[in-house]
Amino acid sequence: PNVLDIGCGFGGLTIALSKLLPDRVILGLEIRAKVTEYVRLRIAAFRKENPGQYENCSVLRSNTMKFMPNFFHKASLEKIFFCFPDPHFKKKNFPRRIISERLLSEYAYVLKPGTGRLYCITDVEDLHNWHLDKCRKHPMFRELSDDEMSEDPCVEAMKVETEEGKKVERSGAKKYYAVYQRLCPEDVPPVNEENFFGENEFGVVAKGGGDEQITKKQ
């Protein structure tokens, strides 16, 4: 595949991207077995009703947070979508969020440098701010401007084609979204513990006593 729809739900975006990106192979990833089977049958029905179409999309049951590096080669993907992921509101469950420092490094590994894009959308403002914070801090990604996003037809599809997005639209709630581009290695700024590792990130804590210094937890 070239394009991943992670947590694809009932497959609305996966199927829409099949027509929007006819020269790409779209794979929806879903952790729930019954929902995965529903999407498989839905795609099969679309293929039967539209001969020759929707042959470039499929669905796979998988836990992305555990197994993504086992499925995809380095720099093999052009786009990864995260649409309305579980916000995991309780602080103790924050490590279960699909966007994190560790997982962003895995996404950067499989995205094509210079062209690969990561798409995020949610109707939870706190989760959106979490996405902004994590993605902006990661050295391998650059946030797209509003003008750049307006030129990408996949952004509009992400906003309107998912079942969850349609539900949010009906309720009149706001959608929060952003897109990030995978940087080429030569464009990545030098990384060290002073300009990348923030307090409470990657097991780093600030120690006082005279000049403050950053040390790793033992």
Side-chain angles (χ1 to χ4, degrees):
N2 314 103
V3 179
L4 294 186
D5 180 11
I6 295 180
C8 67
F10 295 101
L13 181 63
T14 300
I15 292 171
L17 290 173
S18 175
K19 293 196 70 175
L20 185 63
L21 305 171
D23 298 327
R24 303 293 185 268
V25 177
I26 295 88
L27 179 64
L29 296 176
E30 174 57 49
I31 195 170
R32 297 167 291 180
K34 290 184 178 180
V35 177
T36 303
E37 178 63 8
Y38 171 84
V39 177
R40 186 188 70 80
L41 294 173
R42 187 180 180 187
I43 292 173
F46 269 89
R47 291 174 176 173
K48 185 176 181 180
E49 295 171 4
N50 304 272
Q53 298 184 44
Y54 303 103
E55 298 292 338
N56 63 328
C57 68
S58 189
V59 65
L60 175 71
R61 184 191 178 198
S62 177
N63 186 332
T64 302
M65 295 181 71
K66 290 184 178 180
F67 304 121
M68 188 164 186
N70 299 334
F71 282 98
F72 307 104
H73 294 292
K74 180 179 180 180
S76 62
L77 301 177
E78 297 179 10
K79 301 178 186 293
I80 301 177
F81 291 85
F82 300 97
C83 300
F84 303 97
D86 190 331
H88 293 292
F89 288 110
K90 293 183 179 180
K91 188 173 182 179
K92 68 177 182 179
N93 291 328
F94 283 2
R96 299 172 62 185
R97 288 178 169 176
I98 197 69
I99 297 291
S100 66
E101 293 93 344
R102 176 184 64 83
L103 291 172
L104 281 170
S105 295
E106 293 186 5
Y107 305 148
Y109 178 82
V110 297
L111 282 168
K112 292 183 177 181
T115 58
R117 291 185 174 184
L118 185 150
Y119 299 72
C120 303
I121 187 169
T122 179
D123 60 330
V124 179
E125 186 173 8
D126 285 347
L127 182 62
H128 175 63
N129 291 333
W130 169 280
H131 291 167
L132 292 177
D133 178 61
K134 302 305 177 185
C135 293
R136 287 172 175 173
K137 285 181 178 178
H138 200 285
M140 301 301 293
F141 289 99
R142 173 185 70 84
E143 186 175 0
L144 267 61
S145 66
D146 289 342
D147 287 342
E148 288 176 307
M149 286 194 292
S150 67
E151 295 173 355
D152 186 342
C154 291
V155 173
E156 186 64 22
M158 172 180 68
K159 291 163 58 179
V160 303
E161 295 292 351
T162 69
E163 285 73 20
E164 187 67 24
K166 293 174 182 178
K167 184 170 71 174
V168 172
E169 191 75 27
R170 290 193 297 269
S171 70
K174 186 174 181 180
K175 300 173 187 176
Y176 305 91
Y177 58 92
V179 182
Y180 302 87
Q181 186 152 307
R182 167 68 156 87
L183 293 174
C184 292
E186 58 269 23
D187 296 326
V188 177
V191 178
N192 55 54
E193 63 180 15
E194 294 179 353
N195 66 7
F196 181 56
F197 295 110
E199 187 176 359
N200 297 322
E201 294 178 345
F202 299 99
V204 174
V205 295
K207 282 190 174 181
D211 293 335
E212 208 168 51
Q213 59 180 347
I214 302 298
T215 60
K216 291 185 178 180
K217 288 181 180 177
Q218 300 298 321

